[in-house]
Amino acid sequence: MGDRRGKYEWDAPWALTGLILGTILLLALAAVAFANEILAAGVAFLAGAVYTLASVASHLYTTRRGRFAVWRAELDRLEGGEDVLDLGCGRGAVLLLAAARLTTGRATGVDRWRGTDAATRANAEAEGVSDRVDLVSADLTELPFDDERFDVVVSALALHRLRGAREREQALSEAFRVLRPGGLLLIADVEHTHAYEAVLRKLGARDVHGRELGWRYWHGGPWGRTRMVEVHKV
């Protein structure tokens, strides 16, 4: 994870587990096929195992290094005095990257923690940014902040976890509401990003752009790619 000192969650751990188990199964099938001299099947299973193993490597890289590299580049535009909000911040993988770029600004993380936010606070301490980080337990569809409160709002792989399109639309509405005019909204996700763009335009956003984030943010391969929705609020 490079110079990260905190302990961060794995992206899509069940998907990673499935890929690992798939690799093991394909290797076992290849071994059985070769042992029974069924060469064509053995080669096919072995090729599948190699391909799935490459997917495991992609997922591991994204979770441990790639996503941090992508977000570092995205957050390099911060000047230091911004108030930043991270929606669904989890253990602070993106939140604390933002906080590290702030001087007079503050980074606020919102999530629905089960129990406490102790792990996120511990990571903020480990990264040396706890003095400029606030953590708030709240629903993303009902943010406890005034209108136009933040200069920058970010979210990484959080909105797709909401239960339905209506909740995702409400979360986007809230994100747009608390963003100041001239502010920046960055939403990285693996699903629904085209729908996010449509919702934000319906909310009145004029400068909405969607883009691929490249292989460093693939979870297993191009089928698990992450897209960024970027909005500059007028």
Side-chain angles (χ1 to χ4, degrees):
M1 273 192 304
D3 58 353
R4 301 312 301 273
R5 299 180 181 89
K7 296 179 180 180
Y8 300 98
E9 69 274 24
W10 292 87
D11 286 343
W14 289 110
L16 177 61
T17 300
L19 288 170
I20 292 172
L21 292 176
T23 301
I24 294 171
L25 176 61
L26 288 166
L27 286 172
L29 291 171
V32 170
F34 284 128
N36 288 276
E37 298 184 353
I38 309 174
L39 297 183
V43 170
F45 285 132
L46 183 60
V50 171
Y51 183 80
T52 309
L53 184 60
S55 297
V56 171
S58 168
H59 198 296
L60 289 173
Y61 173 79
T62 290
T63 295
R64 310 312 283 177
R65 292 185 181 274
R67 59 173 173 163
F68 297 107
V70 169
W71 274 105
R72 281 192 185 98
E74 296 290 338
L75 296 169
D76 275 346
R77 68 187 85 184
L78 296 181
E79 297 178 355
E82 296 90 346
D83 287 327
V84 180
L85 175 66
D86 185 356
L87 302 174
C89 68
R91 294 192 176 191
V94 176
L95 174 71
L96 305 182
L97 280 175
R101 282 156 174 74
L102 302 178
T103 51
T104 58
R106 295 195 68 79
T108 300
V110 172
D111 213 322
R112 296 183 67 179
W113 281 280
R114 297 176 181 176
T116 70
D117 53 9
T120 312
R121 294 190 184 279
N123 283 342
E125 291 283 350
E127 301 288 1
V129 297
S130 60
D131 60 324
R132 69 205 81 155
V133 170
D134 299 309
L135 300 177
V136 178
S137 183
D139 194 315
L140 300 189
T141 64
E142 192 174 356
L143 297 176
F145 307 113
D146 293 336
D147 294 354
E148 302 178 358
R149 167 70 177 78
F150 295 95
D151 302 293
V152 179
V153 177
V154 302
S155 183
L157 278 65
L159 296 190
H160 79 273
R161 298 175 186 173
L162 297 177
R163 286 178 291 182
R166 182 172 296 179
E167 286 200 0
R168 291 191 292 273
E169 183 171 346
Q170 181 60 30
L172 289 166
S173 178
E174 283 290 275
F176 196 66
R177 175 183 67 80
V178 301
L179 185 64
R180 290 172 181 160
L184 173 66
L185 174 63
L186 294 171
I187 302 174
D189 217 333
V190 292
E191 299 178 44
H192 312 301
T193 53
H194 293 293
Y196 299 165
E197 294 172 38
V199 169
L200 288 163
R201 290 190 179 99
K202 186 171 70 173
L203 290 170
R206 298 180 182 176
D207 191 8
V208 181
H209 302 285
R211 51 189 165 85
E212 301 290 340
L213 290 174
W215 65 271
R216 293 182 300 177
Y217 223 144
W218 286 356
H219 292 89
W223 61 87
R225 62 187 182 273
T226 306
R227 294 184 76 249
M228 180 70 82
V229 177
E230 178 172 335
V231 174
H232 296 266
K233 188 172 182 179
V234 178

